[in-house]
Every structure is written in structure tokens, then in C-alpha cells.
Amino acid sequence: MTYQISLTTTRRNEFCDITNEIYRFIEQSGVSEGICTVFVPHTTAAVTINENADPDVTSDLLRKLASLIPQNDGYLHSEGNSDAHLKASLIGNSEQILIRSGKPLLGTWQGVYFTEFDGPRSRKVWISILGGETN
């Protein structure tokens, strides 16, 4: 089963928590044991799993990425978004989450984030759920 999340980002760099959507799609799928793949089909955006209890964590991540990969650093790419491509490549375009008892097997403090590095834009996230057992 494949699902899609459509979202519109509001800043050039931001983390968007999509954890609740992941829970909802897994529940809709009826899969009790399996794997959920989260895929971002963009070259200047990514997906990651990280702490979702303290919003300072995502702020710190964005701040550190900006210091490591500045927006203007003599890049050759003519669109002016090379930093976004670099950040997206470092974070990655997919995550896999185990499903157990019809729920994503995430740690207590973990959340799933769509990460924007070239916004604001309209974006998509694809969710694929595979499982051998259904509810």
C-alpha cells in the first residue's frame, strides 16, 4: 500500500513533524507486522527520525547544518540552492520503520520529520507499507 502526504513548507529551512500521519497510514493499512518506508522524492528535502519531545533539538540541527553548509559558499550550481542539495544528501531521502502490533516501532522520544532545505515549497512524501499480517 502506498500513501502520499502533501505539505507546504513556510521557511527555507525547517523540520515538519509527520509522525501522526505515519501512525494514521499504518492504522489505515491494517498491517500489524511489517515495514513502513518513508520516501521523499525531492533533491533539496529529506526525511529523518529524531527527538520530538524538545523543539530545541530541531532548531539545533538546523543551526548546525547552516554553520557546516552555508547557503553561499562559492558553489558552482547556478540555481543558488547547492547548500540544500548537500543538506538533503547528508540527511537522506528515506527511512524505514518497523511495524509491530499495528504501530510504528519508534522509541519513546522519536518522531519522523520531513526536512525542508529550499523552501517555501509544495512538497510530497510517499509512504509504503508492507506486511505479512493484517489486523
Side-chain angles (χ1 to χ4, degrees):
M1 286 159 257
T2 302
Y3 302 89
Q4 179 181 292
I5 298 171
S6 296
L7 58 127
T8 302
T9 59
T10 59
R11 295 185 303 275
R12 186 164 200 285
N13 294 279
E14 68 180 292
F15 276 59
C16 303
D17 188 347
I18 59 170
T19 310
N20 288 338
E21 288 91 338
I22 303 300
Y23 271 89
R24 183 168 48 89
F25 289 136
I26 290 172
E27 183 178 330
Q28 283 179 10
S29 76
V31 170
S32 61
E33 303 291 324
I35 293 177
C36 173
T37 300
V38 182
F39 176 75
V40 173
H42 306 288
T43 61
T44 57
V47 63
T48 190
I49 297 172
N50 214 304
E51 180 178 327
N52 69 351
D54 181 354
D56 287 339
V57 172
T58 56
S59 296
D60 289 343
L61 286 166
L62 287 173
R63 188 175 46 78
K64 182 50 78 174
L65 283 169
S67 73
L68 293 171
I69 307 169
Q71 185 173 350
N72 299 305
D73 198 26
Y75 305 115
L76 299 178
H77 181 49
S78 63
E79 288 184 41
N81 62 355
S82 284
D83 65 309
H85 289 288
L86 290 165
K87 292 170 187 172
S89 290
L90 284 176
I91 300 297
N93 64 1
S94 67
E95 291 285 352
Q96 285 196 321
I97 305 163
L98 299 175
I99 300 168
R100 180 178 292 154
S101 302
K103 306 270 189 248
L105 199 55
L106 293 169
T108 302
W109 307 114
Q110 287 183 319
V112 183
Y113 290 95
F114 172 85
T115 58
E116 174 66 75
F117 299 117
D118 194 27
R121 289 182 182 259
S122 295
R123 300 292 201 167
K124 294 185 181 350
V125 179
W126 293 330
I127 315 297
S128 179
I129 299 171
L130 301 172
E133 296 181 31
T134 57
N135 295 330

